[in-house]
Amino acid sequence: MEQNIHIPNTFGLPATADRYIVVRSEAELLSLLGSGLLVQGPCLIVGGGSNIVFANHFCGTVVHIENKGIRLLGPASEAGGLLVEAAAGEVWDGFVNHCIDNRWHGAENLVAIPGTVGASPVQNVGAYGVEAKDIIHSVKAYEIATGRERVFTNAECEFAYRNSIFKQRLKDRYIVWSVTFRLRRDFAPNLGYKAVAEALAAAGVAHPTARQLADTIAALRWSKLPRPEEMGSAGSFFKNPIVSADHYQRLKQEYPDIAAFAAEGGYKLAAGWMIEKTGWKGRSLGRCGVYERQALVLVNRGGCTGEEVAALARAVTEEVQARFGVALEKEAIII
Ligand SMILES: Cc1cc2nc3c(=O)[nH]c(=O)nc-3n(C[C@H](O)[C@H](O)[C@H](O)COP(=O)(O)OP(=O)(O)OC[C@H]3O[C@@H](n4cnc5c(N)ncnc54)[C@H](O)[C@@H]3O)c2cc1C
């Protein structure tokens, strides 16, 4: 057990906790759960710290999951399907690349997302037309209160846009230990995302291999997002909000170029577009800024603190609310 250690996080914020415990094996996990320590006070599970903004010292125990292992379990029930299990502590991008190298297909569009396998079902990570829910078969997790193991089926995870049961009803109640993915032997590229199809067409690639598709997506991603090793961030800080059809029509009259598309419950608006309209894109408050190439992303301009991130997030949210009557919801978790 290490005390007051700096907790790794991609925003590069000074992050500390009363206790910081790294768990690498199931035996270590069961011993920790059996000790009762995690029910004696607040506890936070972390993977890569790429979706958490540490605005305060965490008065409790941070548990960093670092178990490793990826294995092919065997065929899935449908023809050509495969079940692949990955430990929660595996780096997500390493897992995706391992799958590509082994010709286990379906995860290519999710390449280069920072973080771990264990966090992928928590917020149902998604990018370039694919979400984790599309390839997750089941999730093995341990209940913190009882130490009991439970396997959640895909349906039981209650996946939604950047959301799941682990972020809602069962928030902070389970430790994800491994995730089983349903992949495919055959490769059917998902080119539904316009920018991906355009980039491949521009490169003269009509029938991409899995590797070409992943490389194209990684290049697109890093043309718009800051690489964590170069500039601190938590990726998209805000979610794209869904508003009613009435609300959308009113906004459309005032802003004919508003970026939006039909979604369940109304219209999903591009939060980045709204933030840009408020004039915040590229600006900073203290040492925290709105990234110049993608207004959804808040970045560390150097030496930024969690309080500065929270202050900028508040200022942006208030201006979007005042101008568009839309409440921005955070995608990142503020501690
Ligand atoms: C540059 C950049 C780009 C990004 N792009 C995307 C993107 O395209 N799409 C996308 O969806 N996200 C994106 N993200 C956000 C982030 O990568 C994902 O949310 C990722 O899944 C977080 O993984 P993590 O291991 O770092 O989780 P953490 O930040 O450590 O934790 C996130 C949440 O998951 C919980 N958690 C983590 N591990 C476990 C576990 N084993 N058991 C239970 N709970 C756990 C934590 O308690 C916390 O609530 C991006 C982030 C960055 C910095």
Side-chain angles (χ1 to χ4, degrees):
M1 187 185 302
E2 299 154 67
Q3 300 221 343
N4 258 336
I5 195 171
H6 172 72
I7 303 158
N9 63 96
T10 56
F11 222 114
L13 302 172
T16 54
D18 290 350
R19 274 173 301 280
Y20 176 75
I21 300 173
V22 180
V23 174
R24 296 192 175 89
S25 69
E26 204 150 8
E28 283 176 6
L29 178 72
L30 294 175
S31 148
L32 175 63
L33 290 169
S35 73
L37 178 70
L38 303 186
V39 289
Q40 285 161 19
C43 136
L44 172 71
I45 313 302
V46 300
S50 62
N51 206 27
I52 303 179
V53 172
F54 288 88
N56 298 290
H57 172 84
F58 185 73
C59 298
T61 304
V62 167
V63 182
H64 185 174
I65 302 298
E66 271 214 349
N67 60 330
K68 300 287 176 198
I70 302 174
R71 64 189 178 121
L72 177 64
L73 297 182
S77 50
E78 74 279 1
L82 300 168
L83 294 181
V84 176
E85 183 191 62
E90 285 287 344
V91 172
W92 175 261
D93 186 46
F95 162 71
V96 173
N97 279 293
H98 185 83
C99 292
I100 294 170
D101 291 344
N102 283 279
R103 298 170 192 263
W104 304 334
H105 299 303
E108 299 79 14
N109 293 43
L110 302 175
V111 72
I113 295 180
T116 57
V117 165
S120 65
V122 176
Q123 81 143 352
N124 179 24
V125 290
Y128 298 96
V130 175
E131 289 181 316
K133 76 168 171 53
D134 302 329
I135 53 169
I136 287 179
H137 168 270
S138 54
V139 174
K140 177 174 148 181
Y142 285 92
E143 190 176 25
I144 294 171
T146 62
R148 251 185 253 131
E149 178 192 322
R150 176 169 166 192
V151 176
F152 293 80
T153 63
N154 180 300
E156 285 170 344
C157 292
E158 298 177 7
F159 288 124
Y161 166 60
R162 299 293 186 272
N163 224 330
S164 75
I165 195 167
F166 305 109
K167 241 181 141 173
Q168 295 297 326
R169 274 194 302 124
L170 299 183
K171 184 170 164 13
D172 298 329
R173 287 183 43 196
Y174 277 84
I175 295 178
V176 173
W177 191 245
S178 64
V179 181
T180 298
F181 297 89
R182 189 194 296 272
L183 301 172
R184 293 183 311 269
R185 282 242 177 260
D186 59 312
F187 175 57
N190 182 329
L191 304 178
Y193 200 90
K194 201 167 145 229
V196 175
E198 284 173 357
L200 285 164
V205 179
H207 304 288
T209 62
R211 176 55 63 196
Q212 281 173 320
L213 176 60
D215 288 350
T216 303
I217 287 174
L220 270 176
R221 164 178 283 283
W222 299 127
S223 70
K224 290 195 224 135
L225 288 173
R227 288 179 188 265
E229 59 278 17
E230 289 166 10
M231 192 183 280
S233 85
S236 300
F237 192 89
F238 300 104
K239 289 187 189 181
N240 289 321
I242 295 176
V243 297
S244 67
D246 277 1
H247 193 157
Y248 167 68
Q249 292 306 342
R250 283 199 304 278
L251 287 172
K252 178 93 183 142
Q253 277 186 351
E254 201 176 340
Y255 304 98
D257 59 334
I258 191 162
F261 53 92
E264 214 181 300
Y267 282 81
K268 193 182 271 187
L269 306 181
W273 182 90
M274 291 190 286
I275 296 169
E276 198 171 338
K277 284 282 165 192
T278 65
W280 267 109
K281 193 175 182 182
R283 276 173 58 200
S284 297
L285 191 62
R287 290 165 292 183
C288 189
V290 177
Y291 190 49
E292 30 291 321
R293 282 190 265 158
Q294 169 55 274
L296 269 186
V297 179
L298 303 190
V299 291
N300 186 341
R301 300 269 184 224
C304 171
T305 62
E307 286 96 334
E308 287 172 301
V309 182
L312 177 58
R314 245 188 336 268
V316 168
T317 306
E318 279 168 16
E319 270 194 58
V320 168
Q321 176 73 52
R323 183 145 178 191
F324 299 98
V326 174
L328 283 186
E329 221 187 294
K330 294 178 203 70
E331 183 178 315
I333 295 150
I334 314 274
I335 300 294

Short mmCIF file of all heavy atoms in Angstrom, two decimals, residues 10 44-52 65 88 113-116 118-119 122-123 125-127 162 174-176 221-222 225-226 233-235 331 333, ligand 1:
data_model
loop_
_atom_site.label_atom_id
_atom_site.label_comp_id
_atom_site.label_asym_id
_atom_site.label_seq_id
_atom_site.Cartn_x
_atom_site.Cartn_y
_atom_site.Cartn_z
N THR A 10 -4.31 11.30 -17.34
CA THR A 10 -3.86 11.87 -18.62
C THR A 10 -3.98 13.39 -18.67
O THR A 10 -3.41 14.02 -19.56
CB THR A 10 -4.66 11.27 -19.81
OG1 THR A 10 -6.05 11.50 -19.57
CG2 THR A 10 -4.40 9.79 -19.98
N LEU A 44 -12.31 4.60 -4.88
CA LEU A 44 -12.38 4.93 -6.30
C LEU A 44 -11.53 3.94 -7.07
O LEU A 44 -10.36 3.73 -6.75
CB LEU A 44 -11.84 6.36 -6.53
CG LEU A 44 -11.67 6.79 -7.99
CD1 LEU A 44 -13.03 7.00 -8.65
CD2 LEU A 44 -10.85 8.07 -8.08
N ILE A 45 -12.12 3.32 -8.09
CA ILE A 45 -11.38 2.38 -8.94
C ILE A 45 -10.82 3.17 -10.12
O ILE A 45 -11.55 3.94 -10.75
CB ILE A 45 -12.32 1.27 -9.48
CG1 ILE A 45 -13.19 0.69 -8.35
CG2 ILE A 45 -11.55 0.18 -10.19
CD1 ILE A 45 -12.42 0.12 -7.20
N VAL A 46 -9.55 2.98 -10.43
CA VAL A 46 -8.99 3.65 -11.61
C VAL A 46 -8.28 2.67 -12.52
O VAL A 46 -7.76 1.64 -12.06
CB VAL A 46 -8.03 4.83 -11.28
CG1 VAL A 46 -8.70 5.91 -10.47
CG2 VAL A 46 -6.77 4.36 -10.61
N GLY A 47 -8.29 3.01 -13.80
CA GLY A 47 -7.53 2.26 -14.80
C GLY A 47 -6.39 3.18 -15.25
O GLY A 47 -5.39 3.33 -14.56
N GLY A 48 -6.59 3.83 -16.39
CA GLY A 48 -5.55 4.73 -16.91
C GLY A 48 -5.72 6.17 -16.47
O GLY A 48 -4.91 7.03 -16.84
N GLY A 49 -6.80 6.48 -15.76
CA GLY A 49 -7.04 7.87 -15.34
C GLY A 49 -7.23 8.80 -16.53
O GLY A 49 -6.89 9.97 -16.47
N SER A 50 -7.81 8.27 -17.62
CA SER A 50 -7.96 9.12 -18.81
C SER A 50 -9.36 9.71 -18.93
O SER A 50 -9.64 10.45 -19.88
CB SER A 50 -7.62 8.32 -20.08
OG SER A 50 -8.51 7.24 -20.23
N ASN A 51 -10.21 9.41 -17.97
CA ASN A 51 -11.55 10.00 -18.01
C ASN A 51 -11.91 10.62 -16.66
O ASN A 51 -13.07 10.85 -16.37
CB ASN A 51 -12.58 8.93 -18.40
CG ASN A 51 -13.80 9.54 -19.04
OD1 ASN A 51 -13.73 10.61 -19.64
ND2 ASN A 51 -14.93 8.89 -18.90
N ILE A 52 -10.89 10.83 -15.83
CA ILE A 52 -11.13 11.37 -14.50
C ILE A 52 -10.35 12.67 -14.34
O ILE A 52 -9.19 12.75 -14.72
CB ILE A 52 -10.65 10.38 -13.40
CG1 ILE A 52 -11.34 9.03 -13.56
CG2 ILE A 52 -10.90 10.94 -12.02
CD1 ILE A 52 -10.92 7.98 -12.54
N ILE A 65 -6.39 -0.88 -10.99
CA ILE A 65 -6.48 -2.26 -11.49
C ILE A 65 -5.43 -2.48 -12.59
O ILE A 65 -5.43 -1.79 -13.61
CB ILE A 65 -7.90 -2.54 -12.04
CG1 ILE A 65 -8.95 -2.29 -10.95
CG2 ILE A 65 -8.00 -3.95 -12.61
CD1 ILE A 65 -8.84 -3.17 -9.73
N ALA A 88 -9.07 -6.61 -17.10
CA ALA A 88 -9.45 -5.19 -16.97
C ALA A 88 -8.24 -4.27 -17.05
O ALA A 88 -8.33 -3.15 -17.56
CB ALA A 88 -10.17 -4.99 -15.64
N ILE A 113 -7.99 4.64 -28.41
CA ILE A 113 -8.69 5.29 -27.30
C ILE A 113 -7.83 5.04 -26.05
O ILE A 113 -7.48 3.89 -25.77
CB ILE A 113 -10.11 4.73 -27.09
CG1 ILE A 113 -10.98 5.04 -28.31
CG2 ILE A 113 -10.75 5.31 -25.83
CD1 ILE A 113 -12.41 4.53 -28.21
N PRO A 114 -7.45 6.08 -25.32
CA PRO A 114 -6.64 5.85 -24.12
C PRO A 114 -7.42 5.07 -23.06
O PRO A 114 -8.64 4.95 -23.13
CB PRO A 114 -6.34 7.28 -23.62
CG PRO A 114 -6.57 8.16 -24.80
CD PRO A 114 -7.67 7.51 -25.58
N GLY A 115 -6.69 4.55 -22.07
CA GLY A 115 -7.37 3.89 -20.95
C GLY A 115 -7.26 2.38 -21.02
O GLY A 115 -6.48 1.82 -21.80
N THR A 116 -8.07 1.73 -20.19
CA THR A 116 -7.96 0.29 -20.01
C THR A 116 -9.22 -0.45 -20.48
O THR A 116 -10.29 0.14 -20.65
CB THR A 116 -7.77 -0.03 -18.52
OG1 THR A 116 -8.88 0.54 -17.80
CG2 THR A 116 -6.46 0.52 -17.99
N GLY A 118 -10.89 -2.48 -18.63
CA GLY A 118 -11.86 -2.48 -17.53
C GLY A 118 -12.79 -1.29 -17.53
O GLY A 118 -13.92 -1.36 -17.06
N ALA A 119 -12.31 -0.17 -18.07
CA ALA A 119 -13.15 1.03 -18.10
C ALA A 119 -14.06 1.04 -19.33
O ALA A 119 -15.01 1.81 -19.39
CB ALA A 119 -12.28 2.28 -18.10
N VAL A 122 -17.65 0.73 -18.66
CA VAL A 122 -18.18 1.72 -17.70
C VAL A 122 -18.84 2.86 -18.45
O VAL A 122 -19.99 3.20 -18.20
CB VAL A 122 -17.05 2.22 -16.74
CG1 VAL A 122 -17.59 3.31 -15.81
CG2 VAL A 122 -16.47 1.07 -15.94
N GLN A 123 -18.10 3.45 -19.38
CA GLN A 123 -18.76 4.54 -20.13
C GLN A 123 -19.09 4.11 -21.56
O GLN A 123 -19.38 4.94 -22.39
CB GLN A 123 -17.93 5.81 -20.09
CG GLN A 123 -16.78 5.91 -21.05
CD GLN A 123 -16.63 7.34 -21.57
OE1 GLN A 123 -17.46 8.20 -21.30
NE2 GLN A 123 -15.59 7.58 -22.32
N VAL A 125 -17.26 3.00 -24.17
CA VAL A 125 -16.43 3.84 -25.03
C VAL A 125 -16.87 3.71 -26.48
O VAL A 125 -17.30 2.64 -26.91
CB VAL A 125 -14.92 3.51 -24.92
CG1 VAL A 125 -14.35 3.92 -23.58
CG2 VAL A 125 -14.62 2.07 -25.23
N GLY A 126 -16.74 4.79 -27.18
CA GLY A 126 -17.20 4.76 -28.57
C GLY A 126 -16.40 5.72 -29.42
O GLY A 126 -15.85 6.71 -28.92
N ALA A 127 -16.28 5.40 -30.69
CA ALA A 127 -15.60 6.28 -31.63
C ALA A 127 -15.83 5.77 -33.05
O ALA A 127 -15.92 4.57 -33.27
CB ALA A 127 -14.09 6.32 -31.34
N ARG A 162 -22.28 6.65 -24.09
CA ARG A 162 -21.28 6.96 -23.05
C ARG A 162 -21.82 6.66 -21.65
O ARG A 162 -21.57 7.40 -20.70
CB ARG A 162 -20.86 8.44 -23.13
CG ARG A 162 -20.23 8.84 -24.41
CD ARG A 162 -18.87 8.16 -24.64
NE ARG A 162 -18.25 8.70 -25.83
CZ ARG A 162 -18.44 8.22 -27.05
NH1 ARG A 162 -19.21 7.15 -27.25
NH2 ARG A 162 -17.86 8.77 -28.10
N TYR A 174 -19.00 -1.92 -8.25
CA TYR A 174 -18.36 -3.13 -8.77
C TYR A 174 -16.96 -2.82 -9.30
O TYR A 174 -16.72 -1.72 -9.82
CB TYR A 174 -19.18 -3.73 -9.91
CG TYR A 174 -20.31 -4.61 -9.41
CD1 TYR A 174 -21.52 -4.05 -9.04
CD2 TYR A 174 -20.13 -5.99 -9.28
CE1 TYR A 174 -22.55 -4.86 -8.55
CE2 TYR A 174 -21.15 -6.79 -8.80
CZ TYR A 174 -22.36 -6.23 -8.44
OH TYR A 174 -23.35 -7.02 -7.95
N ILE A 175 -16.09 -3.79 -9.17
CA ILE A 175 -14.78 -3.70 -9.81
C ILE A 175 -14.82 -4.62 -11.04
O ILE A 175 -15.03 -5.83 -10.91
CB ILE A 175 -13.65 -4.16 -8.86
CG1 ILE A 175 -13.57 -3.18 -7.67
CG2 ILE A 175 -12.32 -4.25 -9.61
CD1 ILE A 175 -12.53 -3.55 -6.63
N VAL A 176 -14.68 -4.02 -12.22
CA VAL A 176 -14.64 -4.84 -13.43
C VAL A 176 -13.29 -5.56 -13.45
O VAL A 176 -12.24 -4.94 -13.28
CB VAL A 176 -14.80 -3.96 -14.69
CG1 VAL A 176 -14.60 -4.79 -15.96
CG2 VAL A 176 -16.17 -3.28 -14.69
N ARG A 221 -7.92 10.49 -35.67
CA ARG A 221 -8.09 10.79 -34.24
C ARG A 221 -7.04 11.80 -33.78
O ARG A 221 -7.35 12.81 -33.16
CB ARG A 221 -7.98 9.47 -33.47
CG ARG A 221 -7.75 9.57 -32.01
CD ARG A 221 -7.72 8.18 -31.43
NE ARG A 221 -9.06 7.65 -31.32
CZ ARG A 221 -9.92 8.00 -30.37
NH1 ARG A 221 -9.58 8.83 -29.45
NH2 ARG A 221 -11.12 7.50 -30.34
N TRP A 222 -5.77 11.51 -34.11
CA TRP A 222 -4.71 12.39 -33.58
C TRP A 222 -4.58 13.68 -34.37
O TRP A 222 -3.83 14.58 -33.98
CB TRP A 222 -3.38 11.63 -33.48
CG TRP A 222 -3.48 10.46 -32.54
CD1 TRP A 222 -3.16 9.17 -32.81
CD2 TRP A 222 -3.98 10.47 -31.19
NE1 TRP A 222 -3.43 8.37 -31.71
CE2 TRP A 222 -3.93 9.14 -30.71
CE3 TRP A 222 -4.48 11.45 -30.33
CZ2 TRP A 222 -4.34 8.78 -29.42
CZ3 TRP A 222 -4.90 11.11 -29.05
CH2 TRP A 222 -4.82 9.78 -28.62
N LEU A 225 -7.31 15.40 -31.87
CA LEU A 225 -7.21 15.31 -30.41
C LEU A 225 -5.76 15.42 -29.96
O LEU A 225 -4.86 14.96 -30.67
CB LEU A 225 -7.75 13.95 -29.93
CG LEU A 225 -9.24 13.73 -29.99
CD1 LEU A 225 -9.57 12.28 -29.65
CD2 LEU A 225 -9.97 14.66 -29.03
N PRO A 226 -5.53 16.01 -28.79
CA PRO A 226 -4.15 16.09 -28.31
C PRO A 226 -3.67 14.73 -27.81
O PRO A 226 -4.42 14.04 -27.10
CB PRO A 226 -4.26 17.09 -27.15
CG PRO A 226 -5.68 17.01 -26.70
CD PRO A 226 -6.51 16.61 -27.88
N SER A 233 -5.19 16.04 -21.18
CA SER A 233 -6.63 16.22 -21.38
C SER A 233 -7.33 14.95 -20.91
O SER A 233 -6.68 13.95 -20.59
CB SER A 233 -6.97 16.46 -22.86
OG SER A 233 -7.12 15.24 -23.56
N ALA A 234 -8.66 14.99 -20.91
CA ALA A 234 -9.43 13.78 -20.63
C ALA A 234 -10.24 13.41 -21.86
O ALA A 234 -11.33 12.83 -21.76
CB ALA A 234 -10.33 14.00 -19.42
N GLY A 235 -9.75 13.79 -23.05
CA GLY A 235 -10.51 13.56 -24.27
C GLY A 235 -11.71 14.51 -24.29
O GLY A 235 -11.64 15.62 -23.76
N GLU A 331 -18.73 14.51 -19.82
CA GLU A 331 -18.42 13.11 -20.10
C GLU A 331 -17.36 12.64 -19.09
O GLU A 331 -17.38 11.52 -18.59
CB GLU A 331 -17.89 12.97 -21.53
CG GLU A 331 -17.62 11.54 -21.91
CD GLU A 331 -17.14 11.38 -23.35
OE1 GLU A 331 -17.72 12.00 -24.26
OE2 GLU A 331 -16.18 10.61 -23.55
N ILE A 333 -15.30 12.40 -15.56
CA ILE A 333 -15.74 12.29 -14.17
C ILE A 333 -14.89 13.23 -13.32
O ILE A 333 -13.67 13.18 -13.37
CB ILE A 333 -15.58 10.83 -13.70
CG1 ILE A 333 -16.52 9.94 -14.50
CG2 ILE A 333 -15.81 10.68 -12.20
CD1 ILE A 333 -16.02 8.55 -14.69
C1 LIG B 1 -7.01 12.01 -25.73
C2 LIG B 1 -8.21 11.23 -25.27
C3 LIG B 1 -9.10 10.73 -26.21
C4 LIG B 1 -10.23 10.01 -25.81
N1 LIG B 1 -11.07 9.54 -26.77
C5 LIG B 1 -12.18 8.85 -26.40
C6 LIG B 1 -13.08 8.35 -27.40
O1 LIG B 1 -12.87 8.50 -28.58
N2 LIG B 1 -14.18 7.67 -26.97
C7 LIG B 1 -14.43 7.46 -25.65
O2 LIG B 1 -15.44 6.83 -25.34
N3 LIG B 1 -13.59 7.92 -24.69
C8 LIG B 1 -12.48 8.61 -25.03
N4 LIG B 1 -11.63 9.09 -24.07
C9 LIG B 1 -11.96 8.88 -22.65
C10 LIG B 1 -11.26 7.66 -22.03
O3 LIG B 1 -10.22 7.22 -22.85
C11 LIG B 1 -12.24 6.52 -21.80
O4 LIG B 1 -13.29 6.92 -20.98
C12 LIG B 1 -11.56 5.30 -21.19
O5 LIG B 1 -12.43 4.20 -21.20
C13 LIG B 1 -11.12 5.54 -19.74
O6 LIG B 1 -10.30 4.47 -19.36
P1 LIG B 1 -9.40 4.54 -18.07
O7 LIG B 1 -8.87 3.18 -17.84
O8 LIG B 1 -8.41 5.63 -18.20
O9 LIG B 1 -10.48 4.89 -16.96
P2 LIG B 1 -10.36 5.87 -15.74
O10 LIG B 1 -10.27 7.27 -16.24
O11 LIG B 1 -9.29 5.39 -14.83
O12 LIG B 1 -11.79 5.65 -15.08
C14 LIG B 1 -12.96 6.07 -15.76
C15 LIG B 1 -14.19 5.55 -14.99
O13 LIG B 1 -14.21 4.13 -15.05
C16 LIG B 1 -14.14 3.55 -13.74
N5 LIG B 1 -13.26 2.38 -13.85
C17 LIG B 1 -12.04 2.30 -14.44
N6 LIG B 1 -11.59 1.05 -14.38
C18 LIG B 1 -12.54 0.31 -13.73
C19 LIG B 1 -12.65 -1.05 -13.33
N7 LIG B 1 -11.72 -1.95 -13.62
N8 LIG B 1 -13.76 -1.44 -12.66
C20 LIG B 1 -14.75 -0.55 -12.38
N9 LIG B 1 -14.70 0.75 -12.72
C21 LIG B 1 -13.60 1.18 -13.39
C22 LIG B 1 -13.57 4.65 -12.86
O14 LIG B 1 -13.98 4.48 -11.52
C23 LIG B 1 -14.17 5.88 -13.50
O15 LIG B 1 -15.50 6.03 -13.08
C24 LIG B 1 -10.48 9.79 -24.45
C25 LIG B 1 -9.56 10.27 -23.48
C26 LIG B 1 -8.44 10.98 -23.91
C27 LIG B 1 -7.45 11.47 -22.87
#
